[in-house]
Coordinates of all heavy atoms in Angstrom, one line a residue:
M1 N 108.0 92.9 116.7 CA 108.4 94.2 117.3 C 107.7 94.3 118.7 O 107.3 95.4 119.0 CB 108.1 95.1 116.3 CG 109.2 95.2 115.2 SD 108.8 96.4 113.9 CE 107.7 95.5 112.9
K2 N 107.5 93.2 119.3 CA 106.9 93.3 120.7 C 107.8 94.1 121.7 O 109.0 94.1 121.6 CB 106.7 92.0 121.2 CG 106.0 91.8 122.4 CD 105.7 90.4 122.8 CE 104.8 90.3 123.9 NZ 104.5 88.8 124.3
G3 N 107.1 95.1 122.5 CA 107.8 95.9 123.4 C 108.3 97.1 122.7 O 109.2 97.8 123.3
T4 N 107.9 97.4 121.6 CA 108.4 98.6 120.8 C 107.8 99.9 121.4 O 106.6 100.0 121.5 CB 108.1 98.5 119.3 OG1 108.9 97.5 118.9 CG2 108.6 99.8 118.6
H5 N 108.5 100.9 121.6 CA 108.1 102.3 122.0 C 108.0 103.1 120.7 O 108.9 103.2 119.9 CB 109.1 103.0 123.0 CG 109.2 102.1 124.2 ND1 108.3 102.2 125.2 CD2 110.2 101.2 124.5 CE1 108.9 101.4 126.3 NE2 109.9 100.8 125.8
I6 N 106.9 103.7 120.5 CA 106.6 104.5 119.3 C 106.7 106.0 119.5 O 106.2 106.5 120.4 CB 105.2 104.3 118.8 CG1 104.9 102.7 118.6 CG2 105.0 104.9 117.4 CD1 105.7 101.9 117.7
Y7 N 107.5 106.7 118.8 CA 107.8 108.0 118.7 C 107.5 108.7 117.4 O 107.6 107.9 116.4 CB 109.2 108.3 119.1 CG 109.5 108.0 120.5 CD1 110.0 106.7 120.8 CD2 109.2 108.7 121.7 CE1 110.3 106.3 122.2 CE2 109.4 108.3 123.0 CZ 109.9 107.1 123.1 OH 110.2 106.7 124.4
Q8 N 107.2 110.0 117.4 CA 107.0 110.7 116.2 C 107.8 112.1 116.2 O 108.0 112.5 117.3 CB 105.5 111.0 115.9 CG 104.9 112.0 116.9 CD 103.3 111.9 116.8 OE1 102.8 111.8 115.8 NE2 102.7 112.2 117.9
T9 N 108.2 112.5 115.1 CA 108.9 113.8 115.1 C 107.9 115.0 115.3 O 106.7 114.7 115.2 CB 109.6 114.1 113.7 OG1 108.6 114.1 112.7 CG2 110.6 112.9 113.4
R10 N 108.4 116.1 115.5 CA 107.5 117.2 115.9 C 106.8 117.6 114.5 O 105.5 117.9 114.6 CB 108.3 118.5 116.2 CG 107.4 119.7 116.4 CD 108.0 120.9 117.0 NE 108.3 120.8 118.5 CZ 107.5 120.7 119.5 NH1 106.2 120.5 119.3 NH2 107.8 120.8 120.8
G11 N 107.4 117.3 113.4 CA 106.7 117.7 112.1 C 105.4 116.7 112.0 O 104.4 117.2 111.5
I12 N 105.6 115.4 112.2 CA 104.6 114.5 112.2 C 103.5 114.9 113.1 O 102.2 114.9 112.8 CB 105.0 113.1 112.4 CG1 105.8 112.5 111.3 CG2 103.7 112.1 112.5 CD1 105.2 112.3 110.0
F13 N 103.7 115.2 114.4 CA 102.9 115.5 115.4 C 102.1 116.8 115.0 O 100.8 116.8 115.1 CB 103.6 115.8 116.7 CG 102.8 116.4 117.8 CD1 101.8 115.6 118.5 CD2 102.8 117.8 118.1 CE1 101.0 116.3 119.5 CE2 102.0 118.3 119.1 CZ 101.2 117.5 119.8
E14 N 102.7 117.8 114.4 CA 102.1 119.1 114.1 C 101.0 118.9 113.1 O 99.9 119.5 113.2 CB 103.0 120.2 113.8 CG 103.9 120.7 114.9 CD 103.1 121.3 116.1 OE1 102.0 122.0 115.6 OE2 103.6 121.2 117.2
V15 N 101.3 118.2 112.1 CA 100.4 117.9 110.9 C 99.2 116.8 111.5 O 98.1 117.2 111.2 CB 101.0 117.2 109.8 CG1 100.0 117.0 108.6 CG2 102.0 118.2 109.2
C16 N 99.6 116.0 112.3 CA 98.6 115.0 112.8 C 97.5 115.8 113.6 O 96.3 115.4 113.5 CB 99.1 113.9 113.7 SG 99.8 112.6 112.8
K17 N 97.9 116.7 114.5 CA 96.9 117.4 115.3 C 96.1 118.3 114.7 O 95.1 118.6 115.2 CB 97.6 118.1 116.6 CG 98.4 119.4 116.2 CD 99.1 120.0 117.4 CE 99.5 121.4 117.1 NZ 100.0 122.1 118.3
N18 N 96.4 118.7 113.5 CA 95.5 119.6 112.6 C 94.9 119.0 111.4 O 94.2 119.6 110.7 CB 96.4 120.9 112.2 CG 96.8 121.7 113.3 OD1 96.1 122.0 114.2 ND2 98.2 121.9 113.4
N19 N 95.1 117.7 111.2 CA 94.6 117.0 110.0 C 94.2 115.6 110.2 O 95.1 114.7 110.3 CB 95.8 117.2 108.9 CG 95.3 116.6 107.5 OD1 94.7 115.5 107.4 ND2 95.5 117.5 106.6
E20 N 92.9 115.3 110.5 CA 92.5 114.0 110.9 C 92.8 113.1 109.7 O 93.1 111.9 110.1 CB 91.0 114.1 111.0 CG 90.3 112.8 111.6 CD 88.9 112.8 112.0 OE1 88.4 113.9 112.1 OE2 88.4 111.8 112.2
K21 N 92.7 113.4 108.4 CA 92.9 112.4 107.4 C 94.4 112.0 107.5 O 94.6 110.7 107.5 CB 92.7 113.1 106.1 CG 93.0 112.1 104.9 CD 92.8 112.8 103.5 CE 93.2 111.9 102.4 NZ 93.1 112.6 101.1
F22 N 95.2 112.9 107.7 CA 96.7 112.4 107.9 C 96.9 111.7 109.0 O 97.7 110.5 109.0 CB 97.7 113.8 107.8 CG 99.1 113.4 108.0 CD1 99.8 112.9 107.1 CD2 99.7 113.6 109.2 CE1 101.2 112.3 107.2 CE2 101.1 113.4 109.4 CZ 101.7 112.7 108.3
Y23 N 96.3 112.0 110.1 CA 96.4 111.2 111.4 C 96.1 109.8 111.1 O 96.7 108.9 111.5 CB 95.6 111.8 112.5 CG 95.5 110.9 113.8 CD1 96.5 110.9 114.7 CD2 94.2 110.2 113.9 CE1 96.4 110.2 115.8 CE2 94.2 109.5 115.1 CZ 95.2 109.4 116.0 OH 95.2 108.6 117.1
K24 N 95.0 109.6 110.4 CA 94.4 108.2 110.1 C 95.4 107.5 109.2 O 95.6 106.3 109.3 CB 93.1 108.3 109.6 CG 92.0 108.6 110.5 CD 90.7 108.6 109.9 CE 89.6 109.1 111.0 NZ 88.3 109.2 110.3
E25 N 96.1 108.1 108.3 CA 97.0 107.6 107.3 C 98.2 107.2 108.2 O 98.9 106.1 107.9 CB 97.4 108.6 106.3 CG 96.3 108.9 105.3 CD 96.7 110.1 104.4 OE1 97.5 110.9 104.7 OE2 96.1 110.0 103.3
V26 N 98.7 108.0 109.1 CA 99.8 107.5 110.0 C 99.6 106.3 110.8 O 100.3 105.4 110.8 CB 100.3 108.8 110.8 CG1 101.3 108.3 111.9 CG2 100.7 109.9 110.0
I27 N 98.3 106.3 111.4 CA 97.9 105.1 112.1 C 97.9 103.9 111.3 O 98.3 102.8 111.7 CB 96.6 105.4 112.9 CG1 96.7 106.4 113.9 CG2 96.0 104.1 113.5 CD1 97.7 106.3 115.0
Q28 N 97.3 104.0 110.0 CA 97.3 102.9 109.1 C 98.7 102.4 108.8 O 98.9 101.3 108.7 CB 96.5 103.3 107.9 CG 96.3 102.2 106.8 CD 95.5 102.6 105.6 OE1 95.6 103.7 105.1 NE2 94.8 101.7 105.1
A29 N 99.6 103.3 108.5 CA 101.0 103.0 108.1 C 101.6 102.3 109.4 O 102.3 101.3 109.1 CB 101.8 104.3 107.7
L30 N 101.5 102.8 110.5 CA 102.0 102.1 111.7 C 101.4 100.8 111.9 O 102.2 99.8 112.2 CB 101.9 103.0 113.0 CG 102.3 102.3 114.3 CD1 103.8 102.2 114.2 CD2 102.1 103.4 115.4
S31 N 100.2 100.6 111.6 CA 99.5 99.3 111.8 C 100.2 98.3 110.7 O 100.4 97.2 111.1 CB 98.0 99.3 111.5 OG 97.3 100.1 112.6
K32 N 100.4 98.8 109.5 CA 101.1 97.9 108.5 C 102.5 97.7 109.0 O 102.8 96.4 109.0 CB 101.1 98.6 107.2 CG 99.8 98.8 106.4 CD 100.0 99.5 105.3 CE 98.5 99.5 104.4 NZ 98.8 100.3 103.1
F33 N 103.2 98.6 109.4 CA 104.7 98.4 109.9 C 104.7 97.3 111.0 O 105.5 96.5 110.9 CB 105.2 99.7 110.4 CG 106.7 99.6 110.8 CD1 107.6 99.7 109.8 CD2 107.0 99.5 112.1 CE1 109.0 99.7 110.2 CE2 108.4 99.4 112.5 CZ 109.3 99.5 111.5
L34 N 103.7 97.4 111.9 CA 103.8 96.5 113.0 C 103.5 95.1 112.7 O 103.7 94.1 113.4 CB 103.0 97.0 114.1 CG 103.5 98.3 114.9 CD1 102.5 98.8 115.9 CD2 104.8 98.1 115.5
T35 N 102.9 94.9 111.4 CA 102.6 93.5 111.0 C 103.4 93.1 109.8 O 103.0 92.3 109.0 CB 101.0 93.5 110.5 OG1 100.8 94.5 109.6 CG2 100.1 93.8 111.8
C36 N 104.5 93.8 109.7 CA 105.5 93.6 108.7 C 105.0 93.7 107.2 O 105.6 93.1 106.3 CB 106.1 92.2 108.9 SG 106.8 91.9 110.5
D37 N 104.1 94.7 107.0 CA 103.7 95.1 105.7 C 104.5 96.4 105.4 O 104.3 97.5 106.1 CB 102.3 95.5 105.7 CG 101.7 96.1 104.4 OD1 102.7 96.6 103.6 OD2 100.6 96.0 104.0
W38 N 105.5 96.4 104.6 CA 106.5 97.5 104.4 C 106.1 98.6 103.4 O 106.9 99.4 103.0 CB 107.8 96.9 104.0 CG 108.3 95.7 104.8 CD1 108.7 94.5 104.5 CD2 108.4 95.7 106.3 NE1 109.0 93.7 105.6 CE2 108.8 94.5 106.6 CE3 108.2 96.7 107.4 CZ2 109.2 94.1 108.0 CZ3 108.5 96.4 108.7 CH2 108.9 95.0 109.0
G39 N 104.8 98.6 103.2 CA 104.2 99.7 102.3 C 104.8 99.9 101.0 O 105.0 99.0 100.2
D40 N 105.3 101.1 100.8 CA 105.8 101.5 99.4 C 107.3 101.4 99.4 O 108.0 102.2 98.6 CB 105.3 102.9 99.1 CG 103.8 102.9 99.1 OD1 103.3 102.4 98.2 OD2 103.3 103.6 99.9
T41 N 107.9 100.6 100.3 CA 109.3 100.4 100.3 C 109.7 99.6 99.0 O 109.0 98.6 98.6 CB 109.8 99.7 101.6 OG1 109.1 100.3 102.6 CG2 111.2 99.4 101.8
S42 N 111.0 99.7 98.5 CA 111.5 99.0 97.4 C 111.6 97.4 97.8 O 111.7 97.1 99.0 CB 112.9 99.4 97.0 OG 113.9 99.0 97.9
L43 N 111.5 96.6 96.8 CA 111.6 95.2 97.0 C 112.9 94.7 97.7 O 112.8 93.9 98.7 CB 111.4 94.4 95.7 CG 111.4 92.8 95.8 CD1 110.3 92.4 96.7 CD2 111.3 92.3 94.5
A44 N 114.0 95.4 97.4 CA 115.3 95.0 97.9 C 115.2 95.3 99.4 O 115.7 94.6 100.3 CB 116.4 95.8 97.3
D45 N 114.6 96.6 99.8 CA 114.6 97.0 101.2 C 113.5 96.2 101.9 O 113.7 95.9 103.1 CB 114.2 98.6 101.2 CG 115.5 99.3 101.0 OD1 116.5 98.8 101.0 OD2 115.3 100.6 100.5
K46 N 112.5 95.8 101.2 CA 111.6 94.8 101.9 C 112.2 93.6 102.3 O 112.0 93.1 103.5 CB 110.3 94.5 101.0 CG 109.4 95.7 100.9 CD 108.3 95.4 99.9 CE 107.3 96.5 99.7 NZ 106.2 96.2 98.8
R47 N 113.0 93.0 101.5 CA 113.8 91.8 101.8 C 114.8 92.1 103.0 O 115.0 91.1 103.8 CB 114.5 91.3 100.6 CG 113.6 90.7 99.6 CD 114.3 90.1 98.4 NE 113.4 89.5 97.4 CZ 113.5 89.7 96.1 NH1 114.7 90.2 95.6 NH2 112.7 89.0 95.3
L48 N 115.4 93.2 103.0 CA 116.3 93.5 104.1 C 115.6 93.6 105.4 O 116.0 93.2 106.6 CB 117.1 94.9 103.8 CG 118.1 94.9 102.9 CD1 118.6 96.2 102.5 CD2 119.3 93.9 103.3
N49 N 114.3 94.2 105.4 CA 113.4 94.3 106.6 C 113.0 92.9 107.1 O 113.1 92.6 108.2 CB 112.3 95.2 106.3 CG 112.5 96.6 106.2 OD1 113.5 97.2 106.5 ND2 111.6 97.3 105.6
D50 N 112.8 92.1 106.2 CA 112.4 90.7 106.6 C 113.4 90.0 107.2 O 113.4 89.2 108.2 CB 111.8 89.9 105.3 CG 110.5 90.4 104.8 OD1 109.7 91.0 105.6 OD2 110.2 90.2 103.6
R51 N 114.6 90.1 106.7 CA 115.8 89.6 107.2 C 116.2 90.2 108.6 O 116.5 89.5 109.5 CB 117.0 89.8 106.4 CG 118.3 89.3 106.9 CD 119.6 89.7 106.0 NE 120.8 89.5 106.8 CZ 121.4 88.3 107.1 NH1 120.9 87.3 106.7 NH2 122.6 88.3 107.8
A52 N 116.0 91.4 108.8 CA 116.2 92.1 110.1 C 115.2 91.5 111.1 O 115.6 91.4 112.3 CB 116.1 93.7 110.0
I53 N 114.0 91.3 110.7 CA 113.0 90.8 111.6 C 113.5 89.3 112.1 O 113.4 89.0 113.3 CB 111.7 90.7 111.0 CG1 111.0 92.1 110.9 CG2 110.6 89.8 111.8 CD1 110.7 92.8 112.1
K54 N 114.0 88.6 111.1 CA 114.4 87.1 111.4 C 115.6 87.1 112.2 O 115.7 86.2 113.1 CB 114.7 86.4 110.1 CG 114.8 85.0 110.3 CD 114.9 84.2 108.9 CE 115.0 82.8 109.1 NZ 115.2 82.1 107.7
Y55 N 116.7 87.9 111.8 CA 118.0 87.8 112.6 C 118.3 89.0 113.6 O 119.3 88.8 114.3 CB 119.1 87.7 111.5 CG 118.9 86.5 110.7 CD1 118.5 86.6 109.3 CD2 119.2 85.3 111.1 CE1 118.4 85.5 108.5 CE2 119.0 84.2 110.3 CZ 118.7 84.2 109.0 OH 118.5 83.2 108.3
G56 N 117.6 90.1 113.5 CA 117.8 91.2 114.4 C 119.2 91.9 114.2 O 119.7 92.5 115.1
D57 N 119.6 91.8 112.9 CA 120.9 92.4 112.6 C 121.0 93.6 111.8 O 122.1 93.9 111.3 CB 121.8 91.2 112.1 CG 121.2 90.7 110.6 OD1 120.1 91.3 110.3 OD2 121.9 90.1 109.8
D58 N 119.8 94.2 111.6 CA 119.9 95.5 110.9 C 118.7 96.3 111.2 O 117.7 95.8 111.8 CB 119.7 95.0 109.3 CG 120.3 96.1 108.3 OD1 120.7 97.2 108.9 OD2 120.4 95.9 107.1
R59 N 118.8 97.6 110.8 CA 117.5 98.4 111.1 C 116.5 98.1 110.0 O 116.7 97.6 109.1 CB 117.9 99.9 111.1 CG 118.3 100.3 109.7 CD 118.5 101.9 109.8 NE 119.0 102.2 108.4 CZ 119.3 103.4 108.0 NH1 119.2 104.4 108.9 NH2 119.6 103.7 106.8
I60 N 115.3 98.4 110.6 CA 114.1 98.3 109.7 C 113.5 99.6 109.3 O 113.3 100.6 110.1 CB 112.9 97.6 110.5 CG1 113.5 96.2 111.0 CG2 111.6 97.4 109.6 CD1 112.5 95.7 112.1
V61 N 113.4 99.9 108.0 CA 113.0 101.1 107.4 C 111.9 100.8 106.4 O 112.1 100.0 105.5 CB 114.2 101.9 106.8 CG1 113.7 103.3 106.2 CG2 115.3 102.2 107.7
A62 N 110.8 101.5 106.6 CA 109.7 101.4 105.6 C 109.1 102.7 105.3 O 109.1 103.7 106.0 CB 108.6 100.5 106.2
K63 N 108.8 102.9 103.9 CA 108.2 104.1 103.4 C 106.7 104.0 103.2 O 106.3 102.8 102.6 CB 109.0 104.5 102.2 CG 108.5 105.7 101.5 CD 109.2 106.1 100.4 CE 108.5 105.7 99.1 NZ 109.1 106.2 97.8
Y64 N 105.9 104.9 103.4 CA 104.5 104.9 103.1 C 104.1 106.2 102.4 O 104.6 107.3 103.0 CB 103.7 104.7 104.4 CG 104.0 103.5 105.1 CD1 105.0 103.4 106.1 CD2 103.5 102.3 104.8 CE1 105.4 102.3 106.7 CE2 103.8 101.0 105.4 CZ 104.8 101.1 106.4 OH 105.2 99.8 107.0
I65 N 103.3 106.2 101.5 CA 102.7 107.5 100.8 C 101.6 107.9 101.6 O 100.7 107.1 101.7 CB 102.5 107.2 99.4 CG1 103.9 106.7 98.7 CG2 101.9 108.4 98.7 CD1 103.6 106.2 97.3
T66 N 101.5 109.2 101.8 CA 100.3 109.8 102.5 C 99.9 111.0 101.8 O 100.6 111.5 100.9 CB 100.6 110.2 104.0 OG1 101.5 111.3 104.0 CG2 101.3 109.2 104.8
S67 N 98.9 111.6 102.2 CA 98.3 112.9 101.5 C 99.2 114.1 101.8 O 99.1 115.1 101.2 CB 96.9 113.2 102.1 OG 96.9 113.4 103.4
K68 N 100.1 114.0 102.8 CA 101.0 115.1 103.1 C 102.5 114.8 102.8 O 103.4 115.4 103.2 CB 100.9 115.4 104.6 CG 99.6 116.0 105.1 CD 99.3 117.3 104.4 CE 98.0 117.8 104.8 NZ 97.6 119.2 104.1
G69 N 102.6 113.7 101.9 CA 103.9 113.4 101.5 C 104.4 112.0 102.1 O 103.7 111.5 102.9
D70 N 105.5 111.6 101.6 CA 106.0 110.2 102.1 C 106.5 110.4 103.6 O 107.0 111.4 104.1 CB 107.3 109.9 101.4 CG 107.0 109.6 99.8 OD1 105.7 109.5 99.5 OD2 107.9 109.4 99.1
I71 N 106.1 109.3 104.3 CA 106.7 109.2 105.7 C 107.5 107.8 105.7 O 107.3 107.0 105.1 CB 105.5 109.1 106.7 CG1 104.7 107.9 106.5 CG2 104.8 110.4 106.7 CD1 103.6 107.8 107.8
F72 N 108.5 108.0 106.7 CA 109.2 106.7 107.0 C 108.9 106.4 108.4 O 108.7 107.1 109.3 CB 110.7 107.0 106.9 CG 111.3 107.1 105.5 CD1 111.3 108.3 104.9 CD2 111.6 106.0 104.8 CE1 111.7 108.4 103.6 CE2 112.0 106.0 103.5 CZ 112.1 107.4 102.9
I73 N 109.0 104.9 108.6 CA 108.9 104.4 110.0 C 110.3 103.6 110.2 O 110.5 102.8 109.3 CB 107.7 103.6 110.2 CG1 106.4 104.4 109.9 CG2 107.6 103.0 111.7 CD1 105.1 103.8 110.1
I74 N 111.0 103.9 111.2 CA 112.3 103.2 111.4 C 112.4 102.7 112.7 O 112.2 103.3 113.7 CB 113.4 104.3 111.1 CG1 113.3 104.9 109.8 CG2 114.8 103.7 111.4 CD1 114.1 106.2 109.5
T75 N 113.0 101.5 112.8 CA 113.5 100.9 114.1 C 114.9 100.5 113.9 O 115.2 99.9 113.0 CB 112.6 99.6 114.4 OG1 111.2 99.9 114.5 CG2 113.1 98.9 115.7
E76 N 115.8 101.1 114.8 CA 117.2 100.8 114.6 C 117.6 99.4 115.2 O 116.8 98.8 115.9 CB 118.0 102.0 115.5 CG 117.9 103.3 114.8 CD 118.5 103.5 113.5 OE1 119.5 102.7 113.2 OE2 118.0 104.3 112.8
V77 N 118.8 99.0 114.7 CA 119.3 97.7 115.1 C 119.2 97.5 116.6 O 119.7 98.3 117.5 CB 120.8 97.4 114.7 CG1 121.2 96.1 115.2 CG2 120.9 97.6 113.1
G78 N 118.5 96.5 117.1 CA 118.6 96.1 118.6 C 117.8 97.1 119.4 O 117.9 97.0 120.6
S79 N 117.0 97.9 118.8 CA 116.3 98.9 119.6 C 114.9 98.5 119.8 O 114.2 97.8 119.0 CB 116.3 100.1 118.8 OG 115.6 101.3 119.4
T80 N 114.3 99.1 120.8 CA 112.9 99.0 121.1 C 112.2 100.3 120.7 O 111.1 100.5 121.1 CB 112.7 98.6 122.5 OG1 113.1 99.7 123.4 CG2 113.2 97.3 122.9
I81 N 112.9 101.2 120.1 CA 112.4 102.5 119.7 C 112.0 102.6 118.2 O 113.0 102.3 117.4 CB 113.2 103.7 120.1 CG1 113.5 103.6 121.6 CG2 112.9 105.0 119.6 CD1 114.5 104.6 122.1
T82 N 110.8 102.9 117.9 CA 110.4 103.1 116.5 C 110.0 104.5 116.3 O 109.3 105.1 117.1 CB 109.2 102.2 116.1 OG1 109.7 100.8 116.2 CG2 108.7 102.4 114.8
T83 N 110.5 105.2 115.3 CA 110.2 106.5 115.0 C 109.5 106.7 113.6 O 109.9 106.2 112.7 CB 111.5 107.4 115.0 OG1 112.2 107.1 116.2 CG2 111.3 108.9 114.8
I84 N 108.5 107.7 113.7 CA 107.7 108.0 112.5 C 108.2 109.4 112.1 O 108.1 110.4 112.9 CB 106.3 108.0 112.8 CG1 105.7 106.7 113.3 CG2 105.4 108.4 111.5 CD1 104.4 106.6 114.0
L85 N 108.5 109.5 110.8 CA 109.0 110.9 110.4 C 108.7 111.1 108.9 O 108.5 110.1 108.1 CB 110.5 111.0 110.7 CG 111.4 110.0 110.0 CD1 112.8 110.6 109.7 CD2 111.6 108.7 110.8
F86 N 108.7 112.4 108.6 CA 108.6 112.8 107.1 C 109.9 112.5 106.4 O 111.0 112.4 107.0 CB 108.3 114.3 107.0 CG 106.9 114.6 107.3 CD1 106.6 115.4 108.3 CD2 105.8 114.2 106.4 CE1 105.2 115.7 108.5 CE2 104.6 114.5 106.6 CZ 104.2 115.4 107.7
A87 N 109.8 112.2 105.1 CA 111.0 111.9 104.3 C 112.1 113.0 104.5 O 113.2 112.6 104.6 CB 110.7 111.7 102.9
N88 N 111.7 114.2 104.4 CA 112.6 115.3 104.6 C 113.3 115.5 105.9 O 114.1 116.3 106.2 CB 112.1 116.6 104.1 CG 110.9 117.2 105.1 OD1 110.5 116.4 105.9 ND2 110.6 118.5 104.9
E89 N 112.7 114.7 107.0 CA 113.4 114.7 108.4 C 114.3 113.5 108.5 O 114.9 113.5 109.5 CB 112.2 114.6 109.4 CG 111.2 115.8 109.3 CD 110.1 115.6 110.4 OE1 109.5 114.5 110.3 OE2 109.9 116.4 111.1
Y90 N 114.5 112.7 107.5 CA 115.3 111.4 107.6 C 116.8 111.9 107.7 O 117.3 112.8 107.0 CB 115.0 110.6 106.4 CG 115.7 109.3 106.5 CD1 115.5 108.4 107.6 CD2 116.7 108.9 105.5 CE1 116.1 107.2 107.5 CE2 117.3 107.7 105.6 CZ 117.1 106.9 106.6 OH 117.7 105.6 106.7

């Protein structure tokens, strides 16, 4: 995922700026995502993510559990944009 631009939703930003623990959890989740550790994603979706990395033919979606609820990190097909968002913002 070299050359990826990282974005976050306003919801993620607002909680991060007021909660250091959550901010660290988001950074940890992003670090995992960037090293192809798909966190709490289902096994089937982990396999799809691995395929997308190999062939570039599908989006990559990973789920991580945090102290403020589940977050998703998503990179769309063929995109250099990765977005961090809460599950309810998906």
Side-chain angles (χ1 to χ4, degrees):
M1 285 179 271
K2 190 174 184 178
T4 297
H5 301 275
I6 310 295
Y7 295 91
Q8 61 188 337
T9 61
R10 180 171 285 298
I12 294 288
F13 171 76
E14 290 297 328
V15 177
C16 278
K17 76 178 187 177
N18 295 312
N19 187 308
E20 185 176 350
K21 178 182 178 183
F22 177 70
Y23 171 78
K24 289 178 180 178
E25 292 171 334
V26 170
I27 295 301
Q28 181 179 36
L30 181 59
S31 294
K32 288 180 177 182
F33 184 84
L34 293 173
T35 59
C36 302
D37 175 340
W38 310 124
D40 301 293
T41 306
S42 72
L43 182 57
D45 287 342
K46 286 178 181 182
R47 288 183 178 145
L48 289 173
N49 288 346
D50 291 339
R51 177 184 163 79
I53 290 291
K54 186 173 182 178
Y55 298 107
D57 62 350
D58 205 355
R59 70 180 175 175
I60 302 165
V61 180
K63 180 178 101 172
Y64 303 90
I65 298 170
T66 75
S67 60
K68 295 295 182 180
D70 294 348
I71 63 170
F72 285 96
I73 303 179
I74 302 172
T75 301
E76 292 297 331
V77 178
S79 178
T80 60
I81 297 173
T82 296
T83 305
I84 306 166
L85 60 153
F86 281 112
N88 67 347
E89 297 176 306
Y90 186 64

